[in-house]
Amino acid sequence: MAYSGNTTIAPRGLYIAGAVSVLISVLAWSVEWSGLAYVCPYCRVQRSVIGVLGVLLLFARPGRIVVPWLAYTVGGFAFVVAAMQHFNGWKRISAGEFSLNAQWYFDPWLLSGCAMLILVAQLMLVQAACQRSLH
């Protein structure tokens, strides 16, 4: 697909974002498979959907309906899961029981916040890609 210069996002940018998303998902899964992180159902949903949205970004085209529909469905579900996990951290903060993990980069509160940011960015990219000009 040739880039005509009049679209919001160049297709190459979408391919890069999609590939980076899939890479993030695979790296996150490899951390769990290697035993460095504990098994977390919240995290599994988030990392899986980040990868699925990355693949959907590769197929996002103007005027199409299936890719945005799938993206909004799975992305919305994963965002709710991430928000629930993140809110559990806020409940601990309110109760005075909060502390970051010793390995702070594996803290579920921080990771769920990052997952929410990534998921929203991916959904915005899908929306922009599917609503860009056909000419």
Side-chain angles (χ1 to χ4, degrees):
M1 176 161 96
Y3 178 55
S4 64
N6 64 352
T7 59
T8 307
I9 299 172
R12 182 171 183 197
L14 290 174
Y15 298 149
I16 291 171
V20 168
S21 298
V22 171
L23 181 65
I24 288 170
S25 177
V26 169
L27 287 174
W29 273 107
S30 66
V31 167
E32 181 182 321
W33 292 331
S34 68
L36 293 174
Y38 60 94
V39 176
C40 168
Y42 293 107
C43 304
R44 285 181 167 188
V45 168
Q46 294 160 34
R47 72 176 70 110
S48 296
V49 173
I50 287 172
V52 168
L53 289 176
V55 171
L56 289 175
L57 274 171
L58 301 175
F59 296 103
R61 300 288 183 274
R64 301 291 192 251
I65 189 72
V66 174
V67 168
W69 174 69
L70 288 172
Y72 299 154
T73 303
V74 298
F77 169 69
F79 186 85
V80 168
V81 170
M84 288 172 48
Q85 183 180 19
H86 199 70
F87 185 71
N88 286 336
W90 283 107
K91 286 193 314 189
R92 289 193 322 249
I93 289 171
S94 295
E97 304 166 355
F98 182 78
S99 65
L100 290 175
N101 287 343
Q103 295 176 317
W104 63 268
Y105 41 87
F106 284 136
D107 189 76
W109 184 69
L110 294 175
L111 291 174
S112 62
C114 290
M116 286 190 296
L117 293 173
I118 291 169
L119 290 165
V120 168
Q122 288 178 305
L123 291 175
M124 290 172 69
L125 283 172
V126 167
Q127 180 179 8
C130 293
Q131 291 184 350
R132 66 182 183 222
S133 173
L134 292 172
H135 304 294

